[in-house]
Amino acid sequence: MSSTLFDYEWQFLVQITTRINYCTTYTETCNTFLQQIRTLVPYSTGVVFQAERDSGSVRLTSPVSTDGYDDKFSHSFFIDGKYPHWNEFVMLPYSSVFRQSDIIKPGKWEKTRVYRDVWQPKGMFWGLFIALVHKDVPLAVMGIQREKSQNDFSDRDVYVFNTLKDPLERKFFSLQEERRVSTRDGTDRILKASVSYGLTKRETEIVSLICEGKGSEEMCQALYITHATLSKHLSNIYAKTKVKNRTQLFALFL
């Protein structure tokens, strides 16, 4: 199958890998892949999601796309059992490449709810995906789609994705490790600062959640407290740290 690629295409694959390795953030890596791969594998729309395990399935968040995807779309696009046979691929312990037509044949695909509710309104029909998994730990899902009037992705296109699969896995694993280190360092800073301001354990938990970008409802659910109790804790935190709002609190701790 490798003979289907010309020398200049191999050179471009090397260039894509190099550009991806130069990226420093998740968003930059996603955009670089989506922009560069189009030269070798033409497509209509593309999207990349971060992936993580959640209660026996894979949860996808943080979409970066060519066509305005959001978290609500990613929720219906891939999980909650709406996507036929999806877990057969994304739950593998290693990275894999697959086409939409590998999951379900086109005739049956058109009758599914996810196609009618999600894909069809966006004009999508054919899909080609990479599920990036490092040692049974999901990292990301990268996908490109074509309209129904276009051809399905070929074996050559699958081969191109398989060639990029391993370097992409290494890159996204590296980005995940950097996020973990950053989160751990941020937690250490919060704990040290909380001690210096005399915050209680509960107040420290609230500060940590604020620094994670959580809203009031999410904090109440996470800590099993009422909004009134949360407001009381926040008033105490503001008094001890001498700030006036959550924005100032976030800046003080991080």
Side-chain angles (χ1 to χ4, degrees), residues 1-24:
M1 189 179 292
S2 60
S3 61
T4 60
L5 296 182
F6 296 104
D7 287 344
Y8 75 89
E9 292 176 316
W10 277 110
Q11 292 172 7
F12 195 78
L13 278 172
V14 173
Q15 292 176 20
I16 292 177
T17 302
T18 301
R19 287 191 172 98
I20 288 172
N21 286 334
Y22 284 157
C23 295
T24 58

Side-chain angles (χ1 to χ4, degrees), residues 202 206 216-217 219-221 223-234:
R202 178 63 85 193
I206 291 172
S216 295
E217 185 65 33
M219 287 192 284
C220 289
Q221 291 179 359
L223 301 175
Y224 301 99
I225 59 176
T226 64
H227 283 272
T229 301
L230 176 62
S231 295
K232 182 177 179 180
H233 283 307
L234 286 172

Side-chain angles (χ1 to χ4, degrees), residues 23-251:
C23 295
T24 58
T25 67
Y26 164 78
T27 301
E28 183 186 9
T29 304
C30 297
N31 284 325
T32 298
F33 169 79
L34 292 173
Q35 292 166 6
Q36 297 295 315
I37 196 61
R38 197 169 232 152
T39 301
L40 287 179
V41 186
Y43 66 89
S44 301
T45 61
V47 63
V48 181
F49 297 101
Q50 286 185 342
E52 62 182 21
R53 294 204 187 280
D54 182 16
S55 302
S57 63
V58 174
R59 186 167 69 94
L60 302 178
T61 60
S62 307
V64 175
S65 75
T66 61
D67 194 39
Y69 294 80
D70 54 28
D71 279 330
K72 183 178 180 181
F73 177 77
S74 68
H75 185 79
S76 61
F77 193 69
F78 288 112
I79 60 177
D80 275 356
K82 296 179 181 178
Y83 198 100
H85 311 299
W86 175 256
N87 278 350
E88 293 178 14
F89 291 89
V90 296
M91 294 296 285
L92 290 173
Y94 46 82
S95 297
S96 60
V97 174
F98 56 95
R99 287 169 289 203
Q100 170 55 40
S101 55
D102 294 328
I103 297 178
I104 185 171
K105 297 302 179 184
K108 293 182 179 180
W109 171 230
E110 293 174 276
K111 299 176 182 178
T112 63
R113 178 180 176 184
V114 69
Y115 172 71
R116 295 195 306 268
D117 293 352
V118 183
W119 283 60
Q120 190 173 33
K122 286 185 171 288
M124 300 181 300
F125 188 83
W126 308 107
L128 177 61
F129 303 96
I130 306 177
L132 296 176
V133 182
H134 182 75
K135 296 182 179 179
D136 209 25
V137 177
L139 302 172
V141 174
M142 318 180 80
I144 56 177
Q145 298 84 39
R146 288 176 179 167
E147 299 173 0
K148 187 176 182 180
S149 60
Q150 299 172 316
N151 292 327
D152 192 5
F153 293 94
S154 66
D155 289 344
R156 170 198 172 277
D157 300 332
V158 173
Y159 182 78
V160 169
F161 266 43
N162 268 311
T163 302
L164 292 171
K165 178 185 64 181
D166 290 343
L168 284 168
E169 178 186 326
R170 289 192 294 270
K171 182 61 182 181
F172 277 87
F173 177 72
S174 174
L175 290 171
Q176 185 183 79
E177 288 301 292
E178 290 173 5
R179 287 195 301 271
R180 286 177 178 171
V181 171
S182 178
T183 300
R184 185 170 63 248
D185 290 346
T187 300
D188 290 342
R189 286 197 297 272
I190 290 171
L191 291 175
K192 291 178 181 178
S194 295
V195 171
S196 67
Y197 287 112
L199 301 186
T200 66
K201 180 180 178 181
R202 178 63 85 193
E203 290 166 352
T204 301
E205 291 174 337
I206 291 172
V207 169
S208 296
L209 291 172
I210 289 174
C211 290
E212 292 175 12
K214 304 297 185 183
S216 295
E217 185 65 33
E218 291 176 296
M219 287 192 284
C220 289
Q221 291 179 359
L223 301 175
Y224 301 99
I225 59 176
T226 64
H227 283 272
T229 301
L230 176 62
S231 295
K232 182 177 179 180
H233 283 307
L234 286 172
S235 295
N236 292 336
I237 293 170
Y238 294 159
K240 291 179 181 179
T241 58
K242 295 180 170 48
V243 301
K244 297 180 180 179
N245 53 50
R246 297 185 193 187
T247 301
Q248 293 179 355
L249 190 69
F250 182 91

